[in-house]
Amino acid sequence: MPPTLIAEATTAQFKSTLGHILVVEDEDLIRETIALALTEEGYDVTAASNGRQALDLLQASLGKPSSAAPRVVIDLIILDLMLPYVNGLDLCRLMRREGNSIPILILSAKGSETDRVVGLEVGADDYLTKPFGMRELVARCRALLRRHQQFQTAPKSLTLQYQGITLYPEECRVTVRGDLVSFSPKEFKLLELFMTHPKRVWSRDQLLERIWGPDFIGESKTVDVHIRWLREKLERDPSNPEYLVTVRGFGYRFG
Ligand code: CA
């Protein structure tokens, strides 16, 4: 039986400043259990039971007029992969393509490495395989929100800071443990991208697309070379990096 076209959006009327989480899951029991667990932790929760409804809520969250959904500002999305109408991966892809950087935690029954890679490739920030414990889910949400909010509340147009490294986006200037270090434009853009998404794993292809642009014709080795140059400028010991970490099988991560 097909699901209802637009299911009712349920918004828990819970006043908090911890954050507003959108739970997108078509299995009622899982969705409700997650919503309850998060509400008990003090989060505001909105639930959606299919991809189209989630998209409507997200459009509304960004203040886009086309949507009939209520306007709630979403801070984090918990996203199932297998969903009616618009699946989780497509939803992720759509959001990132529109430049929406809300953190996304993917839930999936699939746990193979390929699925993980695909999830991270399309721009998810974290991945949890079903079945999972609610405490782990809550802990991951808390970590993702903290990371994102820390960043949001930092005066980001002025400086990006991480353990001794300070990047001044408007002045194209970087200091490393107090010393001014010069970076090429590509290195600077790379570092800025990494620092605006701490802990996020980027694949070489994603980095090529974001920094070199979709029309770039070249090899992903280009990325490795730039990472090496960045490491030489940032790391105390470039052969044993603390900042720009290689995530085997995925790509690179900052922090
Ligand atoms: Ca599902």
Side-chain angles (χ1 to χ4, degrees):
M1 214 185 79
T4 14
L5 199 62
I6 298 282
E8 189 85 355
T10 49
T11 308
Q13 296 300 317
F14 210 89
K15 206 70 212 137
S16 88
T17 52
L18 289 179
H20 197 126
I21 302 178
L22 172 62
V23 181
V24 192
E25 165 64 78
D26 57 326
E27 282 174 62
D28 295 344
L29 183 63
I30 302 181
R31 186 180 63 249
E32 283 157 20
T33 311
I34 295 174
L36 184 67
L38 292 172
T39 307
E40 279 175 353
E41 290 293 320
Y43 295 101
D44 292 329
V45 177
T46 295
S49 57
N50 65 63
R52 190 185 291 166
Q53 190 195 3
L55 266 183
D56 274 348
L57 285 159
L58 287 166
Q59 301 284 19
S61 163
L62 295 174
K64 301 220 171 145
S66 63
S67 163
R71 172 92 204 264
V72 283
V73 176
I74 307 291
D75 300 302
L76 167 75
I77 305 167
I78 297 177
L79 183 63
D80 182 33
L81 283 188
M82 306 290 271
L83 288 166
Y85 300 124
V86 182
N87 74 47
L89 287 180
D90 286 342
L91 207 129
C92 227
R93 232 178 250 126
L94 272 168
M95 285 180 52
R96 295 307 189 227
R97 199 176 297 153
E98 290 189 352
N100 188 332
S101 63
I102 298 175
I104 300 175
L105 169 64
I106 280 183
L107 296 182
S108 175
K110 304 170 168 184
S112 76
E113 196 184 52
T114 340
D115 292 317
R116 242 188 112 83
V117 174
V118 172
L120 295 169
E121 287 270 341
V122 298
D125 299 86
D126 200 358
Y127 195 105
L128 200 54
T129 305
K130 293 176 185 173
F132 51 84
M134 282 302 147
R135 281 166 66 178
E136 177 163 17
L137 178 80
V138 170
R140 300 247 192 146
C141 288
R142 194 176 293 135
L144 279 174
L145 280 167
R146 195 190 305 126
R147 237 192 266 160
H148 198 69
Q149 283 164 349
Q150 246 173 17
F151 193 71
Q152 299 278 310
T153 49
K156 73 173 171 186
S157 60
L158 297 177
T159 57
L160 295 170
Q161 259 181 324
Y162 183 82
Q163 294 186 5
I165 296 177
T166 310
L167 184 144
Y168 303 83
E170 286 168 1
E171 301 163 39
C172 300
R173 208 157 59 85
V174 181
T175 58
V176 179
R177 293 176 287 280
D179 296 327
L180 189 63
V181 177
S182 74
F183 287 81
S184 74
K186 285 275 186 290
E187 290 166 358
F188 186 85
K189 279 173 79 178
L190 250 182
L191 182 60
E192 188 178 14
L193 181 69
F194 276 118
M195 290 185 77
T196 46
H197 299 81
K199 307 275 185 203
R200 156 145 188 210
V201 179
W202 296 89
S203 70
R204 290 169 179 80
D205 286 342
Q206 286 174 324
L207 293 172
L208 277 178
E209 192 177 329
R210 294 288 285 261
I211 305 298
W212 281 264
D215 300 327
F216 175 77
I217 302 167
E219 293 181 65
S220 55
K221 278 262 181 292
T222 308
V223 173
D224 300 332
V225 171
H226 278 77
I227 294 282
R228 200 172 68 226
W229 290 340
L230 274 180
R231 279 176 176 159
E232 280 164 11
K233 294 179 179 180
L234 299 174
E235 304 285 352
R236 288 186 186 87
D237 174 7
S239 58
N240 201 3
E242 304 162 61
Y243 298 104
L244 272 171
V245 184
T246 302
V247 183
R248 209 173 285 275
F250 293 96
Y252 296 105
R253 184 189 81 203
F254 184 84

